[in-house]
Amino acid sequence: MYVIGIDPGPTPGIVRLQLQVTDRGTRLVDQQALQVTPGLMVTVLEGINAATGVEVVAYERFVVGRRAGQSSSAAAGERTRTMVGEVEAWARGAQWRRVYARSAAEVKPWATDLRLAAAGLLDLTKGMRHARDAARHALYCAVRDLGLADPLSRRAGAR
């Protein structure tokens, strides 16, 4: 099963997690990350889907608030909202795909750097903060919705 995490914005981040689901549970078997320019985001998502088949999409929902008003440019919020629409259209284009949209405020307090490191996602996203945010959404979804053990839990092997 493939889970795609997406951080839409002026520099979109995309993370692909491959989960293996068996009668003994769910485990993470592969993870990949990248950042792209906005014009390539849907093309990259289509390419990933064509190569592996995406079953679950978890993306950061845009929330208008104080932080959004402090972005680097006035157009950044508009571009992000447009990109969220593109992600939604792409993700919901396949009827069988499960789609989860969550705010950063919901995901980031749980998906800490410590948890990302335990899952092998911190080093993978080094120097790519938007891909790191996409990883937070993908990991949160994998644990909360798909049965992956919390990387910091004893069940996952944490001490």
Side-chain angles (χ1 to χ4, degrees):
M1 167 185 304
Y2 288 94
V3 178
I4 298 292
I6 305 168
D7 176 35
T11 305
I14 302 170
V15 166
R16 182 187 72 185
L17 303 181
Q18 182 181 5
L19 305 177
Q20 184 178 49
V21 181
T22 67
D23 57 347
R24 295 178 52 175
T26 303
R27 67 183 192 98
L28 180 61
V29 294
D30 187 44
Q31 56 268 43
Q32 302 296 324
L34 69 142
Q35 289 185 168
V36 298
T37 56
L40 282 177
M41 185 189 63
V42 172
T43 302
V44 168
L45 292 172
E46 288 174 353
I48 293 169
N49 186 56
T52 60
V54 175
E55 298 166 78
V56 181
V57 176
Y59 69 92
E60 185 171 314
R61 187 178 72 234
F62 183 76
V63 177
V64 177
R66 187 181 64 79
R67 175 121 166 101
Q70 296 172 343
S71 65
S72 60
S73 72
E78 183 178 335
R79 279 196 308 265
T80 301
R81 285 189 298 278
T82 298
M83 201 167 304
V84 166
E86 291 172 358
V87 168
E88 288 174 344
W90 173 80
R92 296 186 193 286
Q95 297 291 329
W96 47 264
R97 197 174 284 145
R98 289 182 276 172
V99 181
Y100 300 90
R102 295 182 171 103
S103 68
E106 182 179 354
V107 171
K108 284 185 176 184
W110 179 86
T112 62
D113 285 354
L114 183 63
R115 207 166 247 115
L116 291 180
L121 295 166
L122 194 65
D123 286 342
L124 180 69
T125 57
K126 186 175 184 175
M128 298 187 292
R129 70 181 177 103
H130 302 289
R132 186 164 288 168
D133 285 343
R136 294 180 202 286
H137 285 272
L139 183 61
Y140 185 89
C141 178
V143 171
R144 180 161 190 238
D145 305 309
L146 305 172
L148 182 68
D150 180 339
L152 297 180
S153 70
R154 285 191 185 169
R155 191 173 120 212
R159 297 183 194 266

Short mmCIF file of all heavy atoms in Angstrom, two decimals, residues 25-72:
data_model
loop_
_atom_site.label_atom_id
_atom_site.label_comp_id
_atom_site.label_asym_id
_atom_site.label_seq_id
_atom_site.Cartn_x
_atom_site.Cartn_y
_atom_site.Cartn_z
N GLY A 25 0.22 -7.28 11.16
CA GLY A 25 0.24 -5.84 11.35
C GLY A 25 0.74 -5.10 10.12
O GLY A 25 0.91 -5.68 9.05
N THR A 26 0.98 -3.81 10.32
CA THR A 26 1.41 -2.94 9.24
C THR A 26 2.84 -2.49 9.53
O THR A 26 3.15 -2.11 10.65
CB THR A 26 0.49 -1.71 9.15
OG1 THR A 26 -0.85 -2.16 8.95
CG2 THR A 26 0.88 -0.79 8.01
N ARG A 27 3.69 -2.53 8.50
CA ARG A 27 5.05 -2.04 8.70
C ARG A 27 5.48 -1.17 7.53
O ARG A 27 5.00 -1.34 6.40
CB ARG A 27 6.03 -3.18 8.94
CG ARG A 27 6.27 -4.08 7.78
CD ARG A 27 7.21 -5.23 8.16
NE ARG A 27 7.65 -5.93 6.98
CZ ARG A 27 8.81 -5.73 6.36
NH1 ARG A 27 9.67 -4.86 6.83
NH2 ARG A 27 9.11 -6.39 5.26
N LEU A 28 6.36 -0.24 7.83
CA LEU A 28 6.91 0.68 6.84
C LEU A 28 8.08 -0.01 6.15
O LEU A 28 9.03 -0.43 6.81
CB LEU A 28 7.36 1.97 7.53
CG LEU A 28 7.96 3.07 6.68
CD1 LEU A 28 6.97 3.56 5.64
CD2 LEU A 28 8.39 4.23 7.57
N VAL A 29 8.00 -0.14 4.82
CA VAL A 29 9.07 -0.84 4.10
C VAL A 29 9.89 0.07 3.20
O VAL A 29 11.01 -0.29 2.82
CB VAL A 29 8.53 -2.05 3.29
CG1 VAL A 29 7.99 -3.11 4.23
CG2 VAL A 29 7.49 -1.64 2.29
N ASP A 30 9.37 1.24 2.86
CA ASP A 30 10.15 2.16 2.02
C ASP A 30 9.58 3.56 2.17
O ASP A 30 8.39 3.74 2.43
CB ASP A 30 10.09 1.74 0.55
CG ASP A 30 11.01 2.58 -0.34
OD1 ASP A 30 12.18 2.82 0.06
OD2 ASP A 30 10.58 3.00 -1.42
N GLN A 31 10.45 4.55 2.02
CA GLN A 31 10.03 5.94 2.06
C GLN A 31 10.88 6.74 1.08
O GLN A 31 12.07 6.50 0.96
CB GLN A 31 10.10 6.52 3.48
CG GLN A 31 11.43 6.44 4.16
CD GLN A 31 11.62 5.20 5.00
OE1 GLN A 31 11.28 4.10 4.60
NE2 GLN A 31 12.22 5.34 6.17
N GLN A 32 10.23 7.67 0.38
CA GLN A 32 10.89 8.54 -0.59
C GLN A 32 10.36 9.96 -0.40
O GLN A 32 9.22 10.15 0.01
CB GLN A 32 10.62 8.07 -2.02
CG GLN A 32 11.05 6.64 -2.30
CD GLN A 32 12.54 6.44 -2.19
OE1 GLN A 32 13.34 7.31 -2.54
NE2 GLN A 32 12.95 5.28 -1.69
N ALA A 33 11.20 10.95 -0.72
CA ALA A 33 10.79 12.34 -0.52
C ALA A 33 11.34 13.24 -1.62
O ALA A 33 12.43 12.98 -2.16
CB ALA A 33 11.28 12.85 0.84
N LEU A 34 10.60 14.30 -1.91
CA LEU A 34 11.08 15.30 -2.84
C LEU A 34 10.32 16.61 -2.67
O LEU A 34 9.26 16.64 -2.05
CB LEU A 34 10.94 14.82 -4.29
CG LEU A 34 9.53 14.70 -4.86
CD1 LEU A 34 9.55 15.13 -6.31
CD2 LEU A 34 9.07 13.27 -4.79
N GLN A 35 10.91 17.65 -3.20
CA GLN A 35 10.25 18.95 -3.31
C GLN A 35 10.27 19.32 -4.78
O GLN A 35 11.22 18.99 -5.49
CB GLN A 35 11.00 20.02 -2.50
CG GLN A 35 10.86 19.86 -1.04
CD GLN A 35 11.50 20.97 -0.20
OE1 GLN A 35 11.24 21.02 0.95
NE2 GLN A 35 12.31 21.83 -0.75
N VAL A 36 9.20 19.97 -5.22
CA VAL A 36 9.09 20.34 -6.63
C VAL A 36 8.60 21.78 -6.75
O VAL A 36 8.20 22.38 -5.76
CB VAL A 36 8.12 19.39 -7.38
CG1 VAL A 36 8.63 17.97 -7.36
CG2 VAL A 36 6.72 19.45 -6.81
N THR A 37 8.60 22.28 -7.95
CA THR A 37 7.99 23.57 -8.20
C THR A 37 6.49 23.37 -8.39
O THR A 37 6.06 22.26 -8.76
CB THR A 37 8.61 24.25 -9.44
OG1 THR A 37 8.45 23.37 -10.55
CG2 THR A 37 10.08 24.56 -9.22
N PRO A 38 5.69 24.39 -8.15
CA PRO A 38 4.23 24.22 -8.22
C PRO A 38 3.74 23.66 -9.56
O PRO A 38 2.83 22.83 -9.59
CB PRO A 38 3.69 25.63 -7.99
CG PRO A 38 4.74 26.30 -7.17
CD PRO A 38 6.05 25.74 -7.67
N GLY A 39 4.36 24.06 -10.65
CA GLY A 39 3.91 23.60 -11.96
C GLY A 39 4.14 22.12 -12.21
O GLY A 39 3.53 21.53 -13.10
N LEU A 40 5.01 21.49 -11.43
CA LEU A 40 5.29 20.07 -11.62
C LEU A 40 4.56 19.16 -10.63
O LEU A 40 4.60 17.95 -10.76
CB LEU A 40 6.79 19.81 -11.48
CG LEU A 40 7.65 20.18 -12.68
CD1 LEU A 40 9.12 19.94 -12.37
CD2 LEU A 40 7.24 19.38 -13.90
N MET A 41 3.89 19.75 -9.65
CA MET A 41 3.32 18.94 -8.58
C MET A 41 2.37 17.86 -9.09
O MET A 41 2.55 16.67 -8.79
CB MET A 41 2.61 19.81 -7.55
CG MET A 41 2.12 19.00 -6.37
SD MET A 41 1.07 19.92 -5.26
CE MET A 41 -0.31 20.29 -6.32
N VAL A 42 1.37 18.22 -9.85
CA VAL A 42 0.38 17.24 -10.32
C VAL A 42 1.04 16.25 -11.28
O VAL A 42 0.75 15.04 -11.22
CB VAL A 42 -0.84 17.92 -10.95
CG1 VAL A 42 -1.77 16.90 -11.61
CG2 VAL A 42 -1.60 18.72 -9.90
N THR A 43 1.95 16.70 -12.10
CA THR A 43 2.66 15.80 -13.02
C THR A 43 3.44 14.76 -12.24
O THR A 43 3.43 13.56 -12.58
CB THR A 43 3.61 16.60 -13.94
OG1 THR A 43 2.84 17.56 -14.67
CG2 THR A 43 4.35 15.69 -14.89
N VAL A 44 4.12 15.18 -11.18
CA VAL A 44 4.88 14.24 -10.34
C VAL A 44 3.92 13.27 -9.65
O VAL A 44 4.18 12.06 -9.60
CB VAL A 44 5.75 15.00 -9.32
CG1 VAL A 44 6.30 14.08 -8.25
CG2 VAL A 44 6.88 15.72 -10.03
N LEU A 45 2.82 13.77 -9.12
CA LEU A 45 1.84 12.90 -8.47
C LEU A 45 1.28 11.87 -9.45
O LEU A 45 1.13 10.69 -9.12
CB LEU A 45 0.71 13.72 -7.86
CG LEU A 45 1.09 14.60 -6.66
CD1 LEU A 45 -0.06 15.51 -6.28
CD2 LEU A 45 1.54 13.76 -5.48
N GLU A 46 1.01 12.30 -10.68
CA GLU A 46 0.52 11.37 -11.69
C GLU A 46 1.56 10.32 -12.02
O GLU A 46 1.24 9.15 -12.21
CB GLU A 46 0.10 12.13 -12.95
CG GLU A 46 -1.19 12.91 -12.76
CD GLU A 46 -1.54 13.80 -13.95
OE1 GLU A 46 -0.73 13.93 -14.88
OE2 GLU A 46 -2.64 14.37 -13.92
N GLY A 47 2.83 10.74 -12.08
CA GLY A 47 3.92 9.80 -12.34
C GLY A 47 4.07 8.78 -11.22
O GLY A 47 4.25 7.58 -11.48
N ILE A 48 4.01 9.24 -9.99
CA ILE A 48 4.09 8.32 -8.84
C ILE A 48 2.94 7.34 -8.88
O ILE A 48 3.11 6.14 -8.69
CB ILE A 48 4.10 9.11 -7.51
CG1 ILE A 48 5.39 9.92 -7.37
CG2 ILE A 48 3.92 8.17 -6.31
CD1 ILE A 48 5.37 10.92 -6.22
N ASN A 49 1.76 7.85 -9.16
CA ASN A 49 0.58 6.98 -9.22
C ASN A 49 0.71 5.96 -10.34
O ASN A 49 0.38 4.79 -10.15
CB ASN A 49 -0.69 7.81 -9.40
CG ASN A 49 -1.94 6.96 -9.30
OD1 ASN A 49 -2.15 6.27 -8.32
ND2 ASN A 49 -2.74 6.99 -10.35
N ALA A 50 1.19 6.37 -11.50
CA ALA A 50 1.34 5.44 -12.62
C ALA A 50 2.35 4.35 -12.30
O ALA A 50 2.17 3.19 -12.69
CB ALA A 50 1.76 6.21 -13.88
N ALA A 51 3.40 4.70 -11.56
CA ALA A 51 4.46 3.74 -11.25
C ALA A 51 4.08 2.79 -10.11
O ALA A 51 4.48 1.62 -10.12
CB ALA A 51 5.74 4.48 -10.89
N THR A 52 3.33 3.28 -9.13
CA THR A 52 3.11 2.47 -7.93
C THR A 52 1.66 2.29 -7.54
O THR A 52 1.35 1.40 -6.76
CB THR A 52 3.86 3.08 -6.72
OG1 THR A 52 3.37 4.39 -6.49
CG2 THR A 52 5.35 3.12 -6.95
N GLY A 53 0.79 3.14 -7.98
CA GLY A 53 -0.61 3.09 -7.55
C GLY A 53 -0.74 3.66 -6.15
O GLY A 53 -0.27 3.08 -5.19
N VAL A 54 -1.34 4.80 -6.06
CA VAL A 54 -1.50 5.47 -4.77
C VAL A 54 -2.88 5.16 -4.22
O VAL A 54 -3.88 5.39 -4.89
CB VAL A 54 -1.32 7.00 -4.94
CG1 VAL A 54 -1.59 7.71 -3.63
CG2 VAL A 54 0.08 7.32 -5.45
N GLU A 55 -2.92 4.64 -3.01
CA GLU A 55 -4.19 4.27 -2.40
C GLU A 55 -4.68 5.29 -1.37
O GLU A 55 -5.86 5.40 -1.12
CB GLU A 55 -4.07 2.90 -1.75
CG GLU A 55 -3.76 1.82 -2.77
CD GLU A 55 -3.32 0.54 -2.14
OE1 GLU A 55 -4.18 -0.20 -1.66
OE2 GLU A 55 -2.10 0.30 -2.14
N VAL A 56 -3.73 6.00 -0.76
CA VAL A 56 -4.08 6.94 0.31
C VAL A 56 -3.31 8.23 0.10
O VAL A 56 -2.10 8.21 -0.17
CB VAL A 56 -3.74 6.35 1.70
CG1 VAL A 56 -4.12 7.33 2.80
CG2 VAL A 56 -4.43 5.01 1.91
N VAL A 57 -4.00 9.35 0.23
CA VAL A 57 -3.39 10.67 0.11
C VAL A 57 -3.69 11.44 1.39
O VAL A 57 -4.83 11.52 1.83
CB VAL A 57 -3.95 11.45 -1.10
CG1 VAL A 57 -3.37 12.86 -1.16
CG2 VAL A 57 -3.68 10.70 -2.40
N ALA A 58 -2.63 12.01 1.98
CA ALA A 58 -2.77 12.84 3.18
C ALA A 58 -2.09 14.17 2.88
O ALA A 58 -0.90 14.21 2.59
CB ALA A 58 -2.10 12.16 4.38
N TYR A 59 -2.86 15.24 2.93
CA TYR A 59 -2.27 16.53 2.60
C TYR A 59 -2.63 17.58 3.65
O TYR A 59 -3.57 17.42 4.42
CB TYR A 59 -2.67 17.00 1.20
CG TYR A 59 -4.12 17.37 1.05
CD1 TYR A 59 -4.55 18.68 1.23
CD2 TYR A 59 -5.07 16.42 0.69
CE1 TYR A 59 -5.89 19.03 1.08
CE2 TYR A 59 -6.39 16.76 0.53
CZ TYR A 59 -6.79 18.06 0.72
OH TYR A 59 -8.12 18.40 0.57
N GLU A 60 -1.81 18.63 3.65
CA GLU A 60 -2.03 19.71 4.60
C GLU A 60 -3.11 20.64 4.09
O GLU A 60 -2.99 21.23 3.02
CB GLU A 60 -0.74 20.51 4.84
CG GLU A 60 -0.89 21.56 5.91
CD GLU A 60 0.43 22.20 6.28
OE1 GLU A 60 1.42 21.48 6.48
OE2 GLU A 60 0.45 23.45 6.37
N ARG A 61 -4.17 20.73 4.86
CA ARG A 61 -5.29 21.62 4.54
C ARG A 61 -4.87 23.06 4.81
O ARG A 61 -4.24 23.35 5.82
CB ARG A 61 -6.49 21.23 5.40
CG ARG A 61 -7.75 21.96 5.05
CD ARG A 61 -8.92 21.50 5.92
NE ARG A 61 -8.75 22.01 7.28
CZ ARG A 61 -8.76 21.27 8.37
NH1 ARG A 61 -8.92 19.97 8.30
NH2 ARG A 61 -8.62 21.82 9.55
N PHE A 62 -5.18 23.95 3.91
CA PHE A 62 -4.84 25.36 4.10
C PHE A 62 -5.84 26.00 5.04
O PHE A 62 -7.05 25.88 4.86
CB PHE A 62 -4.86 26.09 2.75
CG PHE A 62 -4.44 27.53 2.86
CD1 PHE A 62 -3.11 27.87 3.01
CD2 PHE A 62 -5.38 28.54 2.81
CE1 PHE A 62 -2.72 29.20 3.10
CE2 PHE A 62 -5.00 29.87 2.91
CZ PHE A 62 -3.66 30.19 3.05
N VAL A 63 -5.33 26.64 6.06
CA VAL A 63 -6.16 27.31 7.04
C VAL A 63 -5.82 28.80 7.01
O VAL A 63 -4.66 29.17 7.19
CB VAL A 63 -5.94 26.75 8.46
CG1 VAL A 63 -6.76 27.50 9.48
CG2 VAL A 63 -6.27 25.26 8.49
N VAL A 64 -6.82 29.62 6.79
CA VAL A 64 -6.59 31.06 6.80
C VAL A 64 -6.52 31.51 8.25
O VAL A 64 -7.40 31.23 9.05
CB VAL A 64 -7.73 31.82 6.06
CG1 VAL A 64 -7.50 33.32 6.14
CG2 VAL A 64 -7.81 31.36 4.62
N GLY A 65 -5.43 32.16 8.58
CA GLY A 65 -5.24 32.62 9.95
C GLY A 65 -4.09 33.60 10.02
O GLY A 65 -3.56 34.05 9.00
N ARG A 66 -3.67 33.90 11.23
CA ARG A 66 -2.60 34.87 11.44
C ARG A 66 -1.30 34.45 10.74
O ARG A 66 -0.66 35.23 10.07
CB ARG A 66 -2.35 35.04 12.95
CG ARG A 66 -1.38 36.14 13.29
CD ARG A 66 -1.14 36.25 14.78
NE ARG A 66 -0.51 35.07 15.35
CZ ARG A 66 0.80 34.80 15.26
NH1 ARG A 66 1.60 35.61 14.61
NH2 ARG A 66 1.29 33.71 15.81
N ARG A 67 -0.94 33.17 10.87
CA ARG A 67 0.29 32.68 10.27
C ARG A 67 0.24 32.79 8.74
O ARG A 67 1.22 33.16 8.12
CB ARG A 67 0.53 31.23 10.67
CG ARG A 67 1.72 30.62 9.98
CD ARG A 67 2.74 30.16 10.97
NE ARG A 67 3.71 29.30 10.34
CZ ARG A 67 4.91 29.71 9.98
NH1 ARG A 67 5.30 30.94 10.20
NH2 ARG A 67 5.74 28.88 9.40
N ALA A 68 -0.89 32.48 8.15
CA ALA A 68 -1.03 32.58 6.69
C ALA A 68 -0.85 34.01 6.23
O ALA A 68 -0.30 34.27 5.17
CB ALA A 68 -2.38 32.05 6.24
N GLY A 69 -1.27 34.95 7.05
CA GLY A 69 -1.11 36.37 6.70
C GLY A 69 0.31 36.86 6.79
O GLY A 69 0.64 37.93 6.30
N GLN A 70 1.17 36.07 7.42
CA GLN A 70 2.57 36.47 7.57
C GLN A 70 3.47 35.82 6.53
O GLN A 70 4.69 35.87 6.66
CB GLN A 70 3.08 36.07 8.97
CG GLN A 70 2.39 36.78 10.09
CD GLN A 70 2.78 36.21 11.44
OE1 GLN A 70 3.31 35.12 11.55
NE2 GLN A 70 2.52 36.96 12.48
N SER A 71 2.90 35.21 5.52
CA SER A 71 3.71 34.52 4.52
C SER A 71 4.59 35.52 3.77
O SER A 71 4.38 36.72 3.82
CB SER A 71 2.83 33.75 3.55
OG SER A 71 2.04 34.63 2.81
N SER A 72 5.56 34.98 3.05
CA SER A 72 6.57 35.82 2.41
C SER A 72 6.00 36.76 1.36
O SER A 72 6.59 37.79 1.08
CB SER A 72 7.64 34.93 1.79
OG SER A 72 7.07 34.07 0.84
#
